[in-house]
Amino acid sequence: MTQVCSIIIVMNKDIIIASKNIGKIKEFKEMLEPLGYTVFSLLDYPEIGEIEETGKTFIENAIIKASTVSKKLNMICISDDSGLEISAFDGAPGIYSSRWLGEYTPYDLKMNYVIYKLENKEDRRCSYVCAIAVCDKDKVLMTFEEYCEGIVSRELKGNNGFGYDPFFYYEPYQKTIAELSSEVKNEISHRGKAIKKLLEWLENENI
Ligand code: ITT
């Protein structure tokens, strides 16, 4: 049965990302669709409800999401669990990044709160983490984890990207990630780097 599912994926190059996050899905599509993959997400499967992220690490949560959806759809699934780590906050919000300070609190408010808290702090380092898991039901086929290092800027800048991008200052380009084009973000970001590894793996596996 598993082999039959794999064959379907080989022929169609269909990929399902176990995510409802529009920003993430857009980045997966930007990187995978030019190479002939058709990317589906949980937005195409509203019947799959909330998945509880009970893991203690990005990788654990990525595996929970990919394996849960793989079992429900009976096909290989890919997931992304990611977040922001702020050095002066001992790595918070980390795996809680999306719900931190309230699930429905606008990101502008969350970022301005951080800027206020770091006002007199010297250590403004932060990093993005992205864990990707590929699962065939309970079987973990592969995991990747990648990072992007930055500093928390003193003001919000830029309208591209999503989430914390307007205050994530990427020193090599002297811009926030929200000021970078999506092409540049996909080159340097935690997710872009993890998706590149995923692509190599998919090609090697002939998926
Ligand atoms: P799914 O579980 O449905 O994928 P989610 O948003 O809940 O959606 P996560 O639990 O992985 O996913 O949380 C990721 C959060 O980390 C995301 O909502 C942002 O707050 C932050 N984040 C991750 N990558 C980011 C990026 O590239 N730019 C800005 N913020 C990012």
Side-chain angles (χ1 to χ4, degrees):
M1 190 58 189
T2 303
Q3 275 176 342
V4 172
C5 292
S6 305
I7 291 164
I8 291 168
I9 288 170
V10 170
M11 289 167 66
N12 294 333
K13 282 189 126 192
D14 285 353
I15 294 247
I16 165 116
I17 311 295
S19 174
K20 288 183 185 160
N21 181 311
I22 292 167
K24 284 185 192 179
I25 297 164
K26 177 174 170 280
E27 292 176 9
F28 272 92
K29 286 191 174 196
E30 282 165 358
M31 292 189 70
L32 294 174
E33 294 201 333
L35 299 170
Y37 292 94
T38 305
V39 176
F40 296 93
S41 72
L42 296 188
L43 300 179
D44 302 300
Y45 296 93
E47 66 276 18
I48 298 184
E50 282 303 306
I51 302 169
E52 246 197 288
E53 298 180 23
T54 51
K56 291 195 168 53
T57 64
F58 291 104
I59 294 273
E60 280 177 19
N61 279 336
I63 291 171
I64 290 169
K65 290 192 260 192
S67 65
T68 305
V69 177
S70 174
K71 282 186 271 190
K72 290 200 180 188
L73 295 182
N74 198 24
M75 62 186 283
I76 293 173
C77 285
I78 295 164
S79 68
D80 164 314
D81 198 69
S82 46
L84 172 78
E85 295 186 332
I86 299 170
S87 173
F89 294 175
D90 294 326
I95 58 169
Y96 306 106
S97 294
S98 63
R99 289 154 200 87
W100 190 54
L101 303 175
E103 193 170 350
Y104 302 106
T105 307
Y107 273 90
D108 283 10
L109 288 185
K110 298 189 195 199
M111 290 184 284
N112 280 321
Y113 169 80
V114 176
I115 290 171
Y116 164 73
K117 284 292 205 187
L118 293 186
E119 208 172 355
N120 301 312
K121 294 257 193 308
E122 251 180 49
D123 183 4
R124 305 185 68 85
R125 288 171 302 153
C126 60
S127 62
Y128 275 143
V129 183
C130 175
I132 287 182
V134 186
C135 292
D136 187 358
K137 302 185 197 73
D138 280 326
K139 194 168 164 205
V140 180
L141 302 181
M142 187 51 80
T143 61
F144 311 93
E145 192 166 70
E146 283 292 336
Y147 311 87
C148 178
E149 311 294 337
I151 56 173
V152 175
S153 67
R154 290 183 188 276
E155 54 179 332
L156 308 184
K157 276 193 179 166
N159 297 308
N160 301 329
F162 67 97
Y164 298 96
D165 287 346
F167 85 172
F168 193 105
Y169 187 77
Y170 185 68
E171 281 186 298
Y173 291 161
Q174 305 210 351
K175 284 191 162 108
T176 69
I177 296 213
E179 292 179 289
L180 302 176
S181 66
S182 52
E183 289 79 13
V184 175
K185 179 178 179 187
N186 293 339
E187 272 299 310
I188 55 95
S189 82
H190 52 318
R191 180 167 304 100
K193 289 190 253 180
I195 293 176
K196 265 191 212 148
K197 284 193 173 170
L198 169 69
L199 269 169
E200 278 169 31
W201 182 83
L202 289 171
E203 275 159 25
N204 280 339
E205 295 292 307
N206 225 355
I207 292 179

